[in-house]
Amino acid sequence: MKEKQVLTGNEAIARGFYEGGGRLASSYPGSPTVEIMENVKQYKEVYAEFSTNEKVALEVAIGSSFYGARSMVSMKHVGVNVAADPLMTFTQTPINGGFILVSGDDPGMASSQNEQDNRIFGKFANMAILYPGSSQESKDYIKEGLMISEEYQIPIMLDITSRVCHGRGIVELGPRIDKVPSGFTKDQEKYTMLPPNTFKAQYFMKDRLERLEDYAYNSSINVLEEVEGSETLIITSGLVYYNLKELELPISIYKLGMVYPISIKKVEELAKKYKRIIIIEEMMPFVENELRLKGIDCEGKKYFSFTGELQIEDIERGLIEAGVISGEVKDINKPKIISRPPMFCSGCPHRPIFDILKKMKVKVMGDIGCYSMAVLPAFEAAHTMISMGATVGITKGMNKAMRRNGDDEPIVSVIGDGTFFHSGMTGFANLLHQREEDDNMTFIILDNRTTAMTGGQHNGSSGNYNESEDMHISIKSILNTMGHEDVVEVDQFIYKDIKDAINNGTKRKGISIIIATRPCALKYKIKEKHFYVDPNICISCRSCVKTNCPPIRMIKYDGIEKLKSSIDPDSCVGCSVCAQVCPVNAIKRSE
């Protein structure tokens, strides 16, 4: 009997890559796919790395594939935007070692800044697209994808959604295939994408997609479930298929494991047997549009939401509206869950920064990271946030527009150390271009020595705090080498020092850069002796509460009428920020 395990979709992808003879896996951390690489690391046969950004991760995997090694790169959906430049040219070349790009889409934007549907990106890049809906399929499709990639010399996109990434299911394990790399053979026509080679590449891409469409006709990855008497055929894929099956409807289903290319011949044959074809898919009407472009009469998005996840009741409601089934949608008694807004951890070194910025009431350009939470209550101390590393260029652009409008207000920008290495450095270099006397920009680099938002993966400066890491890059040295002279390093847990640094920076003309140096409390398990409140001294001013630290709350003490602040000793890590903002020294460190 074969061994079985309960795995998440991410764990199953890692397992599938191992079983499929994978040799190199690269990634940049981002939800919902970060656990893929964390799990690949357990397999000694696979070289695995978190690269400095998605573009570099893709390039590392391209090099491995060029050598004939089976390779995989994984990233969240917006990461494909960062990797798009090399991707769009790489997909013109014939694949040597099997190549998989895992894209983690996020219907409903549970942890993302947008909801882009990367099936469209995959088609745009001339890739075949596999779309798993369970952990077992996640593992199987990786192995199938490696095979297809090599047989058809095409790069594969495994497009997976966040719920499949994190959901668990029983997965049947198998042995590893020993796939030895074929090596790199010099062939400029294949691997140098300059005219006239690129002209030939266009026809090559068209030909391989047509051959793959023929493969899709009988492929076991696409499953037809026909029900006698059904006048409607539902075409679906991924997790939506499993949600649809929960309804146990007497309707025929064509489940696509490969959503691009689709065998139009197959669908045309099916269309002759059914009165209606209904497409059920999350996010964009990708499959629906593909079929419409080929002249196949079908319906879909007019009955189902264009955004978010499609739960069972959403599917039922849509099919009732379409007249495919009758009845009323039953209300589901979901348990009431008290909403809890995201907040900074106890002892998070970002907290004093945003406490100060909120009190200063300055314009703050934010970026992507744990500190994105500063956008939310209680701080609301970051006022823009677009994408990784974007704050630097945005700050410069706003600064230029303001000065030319006679507006001399200072601007503050915040960016993390991981984001600095990801894509912030180019923005800092650009700051040196066309500097003017009236510029007034203060940049705060939150250097907590880790990529904290995704679980604590290393970045370029992690080795400065943790010797087991192999990158010891000094952000200050990089900035000084670029030509930035006004760069200071400040311990943000010394509240007065960081407050003075920010205040002074915003008062000076020019570009000032503050590197806040405290490491992540969660990653490095930092815990000092806890603090407590003396209720007889506390004046109930709530200055400590306003720092938004989780252990602090107002309580009723015996014999004292007014509510006074209190600190949960189990949660307090002893950062001391609350004691430093207390105006009457009512907060003291325990012995």
Side-chain angles (χ1 to χ4, degrees):
M1 181 179 292
K2 291 187 176 180
E3 183 184 356
K4 295 180 180 179
Q5 286 187 7
V6 176
L7 301 177
T8 66
N10 284 335
E11 292 169 339
I13 287 172
R15 178 71 192 188
F17 187 65
Y18 163 76
E19 290 184 8
R23 291 278 179 148
L24 181 143
S26 53
S27 180
Y28 184 79
S31 181
T33 54
V34 63
E35 295 88 1
I36 295 174
M37 185 57 55
E38 297 287 10
N39 282 278
V40 167
K41 288 178 181 177
Q42 69 181 293
Y43 302 111
K44 296 177 182 177
E45 295 85 350
V46 181
Y47 171 81
E49 73 165 51
F50 280 115
S51 307
T52 49
N53 67 21
E54 296 86 353
K55 175 178 175 290
V56 176
L58 174 72
E59 291 159 347
V60 170
I62 288 174
S64 172
S65 175
F66 277 169
Y67 185 71
R70 290 189 164 182
S71 307
M72 176 176 72
V73 60
S74 56
M75 58 193 71
K76 71 179 298 173
H77 60 296
V78 293
V80 180
N81 305 338
V82 179
D85 190 19
L87 177 68
M88 296 299 291
T89 301
F90 169 60
T91 55
Q92 293 183 133
T93 68
I95 295 303
N96 191 11
F99 183 92
I100 305 271
L101 165 61
V102 181
S103 167
D105 288 5
D106 191 10
M109 295 162 284
S111 59
S112 305
Q113 62 268 49
N114 72 28
E115 192 190 55
Q116 70 187 49
D117 188 333
N118 273 4
R119 293 177 300 175
I120 295 169
F121 218 129
K123 178 186 177 184
F124 183 36
N126 290 289
M127 305 175 79
I129 307 167
L130 307 183
Y131 204 77
S134 68
S135 293
Q136 181 68 57
E137 288 180 357
S138 298
K139 195 202 80 160
D140 293 344
Y141 286 12
I142 285 286
K143 297 171 69 174
E144 182 80 4
L146 289 168
M147 183 277 294
I148 295 171
S149 177
E150 291 178 352
E151 185 172 343
Y152 292 85
Q153 297 186 298
I154 189 169
I156 304 294
M157 173 179 279
L158 186 91
D159 198 17
I160 190 167
T161 57
S162 49
R163 198 163 293 272
V164 181
C165 284
H166 298 138
R168 293 180 181 274
I170 298 172
V171 177
E172 191 173 271
L173 306 186
R176 175 176 166 82
I177 299 169
D178 187 18
K179 186 72 171 59
V180 178
S182 57
F184 178 71
T185 303
K186 296 175 184 174
D187 189 335
Q188 290 184 306
E189 185 173 311
K190 284 185 176 179
Y191 301 119
T192 57
M193 288 297 103
L194 292 171
N197 297 341
T198 51
F199 301 142
K200 295 179 181 176
Q202 295 300 310
Y203 289 96
F204 166 72
M205 288 191 294
K206 179 175 181 293
D207 174 68
R208 70 184 180 187
L209 282 168
E210 288 174 350
R211 290 191 297 117
L212 198 55
E213 185 177 330
D214 292 338
Y215 160 84
Y217 180 83
N218 277 324
S219 172
S220 60
I221 204 169
N222 300 320
V223 179
L224 177 64
E225 299 175 1
E226 295 195 279
V227 176
E228 188 174 349
S230 175
E231 296 182 343
T232 299
L233 174 70
I234 294 175
I235 299 180
T236 189
S237 59
L239 183 61
V240 173
Y241 164 80
Y242 292 96
N243 287 342
L244 172 65
K245 291 289 286 183
E246 290 287 326
L247 294 171
E248 298 181 341
L249 301 175
I251 301 174
S252 296
I253 300 172
Y254 186 39
K255 173 182 175 294
L256 295 174
M258 185 163 68
V259 296
Y260 185 78
I262 300 169
S263 172
I264 298 303
K265 178 184 174 184
K266 183 78 170 184
V267 180
E268 285 176 339
E269 289 176 0
L270 292 170
K272 294 175 182 174
K273 298 170 61 178
Y274 294 92
K275 291 183 177 179
R276 298 177 73 184
I277 294 180
I278 304 285
I279 314 298
I280 308 179
E281 55 191 328
E282 289 175 337
M283 298 192 289
M284 303 291 285
F286 180 81
V287 173
E288 184 179 348
N289 287 344
E290 285 296 298
L291 299 187
R292 286 180 183 275
L293 284 170
K294 299 296 183 181
I296 296 173
D297 186 24
C298 60
E299 307 164 276
K301 275 299 165 187
K302 66 180 179 180
Y303 303 119
F304 304 97
S305 174
F306 75 99
T307 182
E309 297 179 314
L310 290 180
Q311 306 290 357
I312 298 168
E313 59 269 29
D314 302 315
I315 294 170
E316 186 177 24
R317 185 180 292 109
L319 290 174
I320 290 173
E321 186 181 343
V324 175
I325 59 175
S326 58
E328 296 181 359
V329 178
K330 298 174 184 174
D331 292 330
I332 296 177
N333 296 320
K334 293 181 179 178
K336 291 183 178 179
I337 300 173
I338 298 172
S339 61
R340 189 182 64 175
M343 61 195 308
F344 293 110
C345 303
S346 301
C348 175
H350 301 335
R351 180 176 292 103
I353 300 286
F354 291 106
D355 183 57
I356 292 165
L357 292 175
K358 182 176 183 180
K359 290 172 180 172
M360 288 177 65
K361 299 180 179 178
V362 290
K363 289 186 174 69
V364 179
M365 306 300 110
D367 213 278
I368 304 288
C370 281
Y371 46 93
S372 300
M373 288 186 291
V375 171
L376 306 171
F379 287 117
E380 297 179 300
H383 309 111
T384 67
M385 194 193 73
I386 297 297
S387 63
M388 297 277 286
T391 184
V392 187
I394 288 172
T395 301
K396 179 177 181 177
M398 185 175 289
N399 167 74
K400 293 298 183 186
M402 289 172 68
R403 307 310 163 221
R404 278 156 178 71
N405 197 42
D407 187 343
D408 63 355
E409 187 180 351
I411 314 175
V412 175
S413 167
V414 291
I415 184 170
D417 53 331
T419 320
F420 175 85
F421 289 109
H422 176 276
S423 52
M425 287 193 291
T426 48
F428 278 100
N430 188 55
L431 286 175
L432 298 165
H433 178 53
Q434 297 183 340
R435 281 185 290 182
E436 296 174 286
E437 290 184 359
D438 288 342
D439 288 343
N440 188 344
M441 296 175 278
T442 298
F443 294 88
I444 304 173
I445 301 174
L446 304 166
D447 184 9
N448 64 0
R449 310 290 164 84
T450 190
T451 312
M453 191 175 194
T454 49
Q457 291 74 34
H458 68 260
N459 63 46
S461 66
S462 296
N464 285 331
Y465 187 75
N466 186 346
E467 292 299 321
S468 65
E469 301 289 353
D470 57 3
M471 286 199 287
H472 306 70
I473 304 170
S474 164
I475 294 175
K476 186 173 187 299
S477 296
I478 289 174
L479 294 170
N480 288 152
T481 302
M482 282 182 180
H484 290 288
E485 298 172 349
D486 188 355
V487 184
V488 296
E489 293 180 317
V490 183
D491 181 346
Q492 64 268 47
F493 277 178
I494 304 177
Y495 193 86
K496 183 177 182 307
D497 286 0
I498 190 68
K499 184 178 180 182
D500 288 346
I502 298 173
N503 262 322
N504 293 336
T506 57
K507 289 175 182 174
R508 287 196 300 273
K509 294 287 187 182
I511 300 168
S512 56
I513 303 174
I514 302 164
I515 303 173
T517 58
R518 280 277 175 167
C520 172
L522 194 65
K523 165 75 175 180
Y524 297 109
K525 312 295 183 189
I526 295 169
K527 187 171 176 64
E528 306 288 344
K529 289 183 177 178
H530 70 82
F531 281 77
Y532 68 95
V533 177
D534 184 337
N536 295 310
I537 300 176
C538 176
I539 58 174
S540 303
C541 69
R542 298 176 186 250
S543 296
C544 56
V545 175
K546 291 173 184 174
T547 64
N548 195 31
C549 192
I552 304 175
R553 60 188 183 277
M554 302 299 288
I555 66 168
K556 179 79 172 66
Y557 288 88
D558 290 341
I560 298 177
E561 184 177 345
K562 293 179 69 175
L563 293 176
K564 301 292 180 98
S565 69
S566 169
I567 298 172
D568 179 358
D570 294 330
S571 301
C572 176
V573 301
C575 75
S576 83
V577 171
C578 57
Q580 294 181 63
V581 300
C582 177
V584 295
N585 295 322
I587 301 178
K588 306 175 187 298
R589 191 186 291 275
S590 62
E591 297 297 328

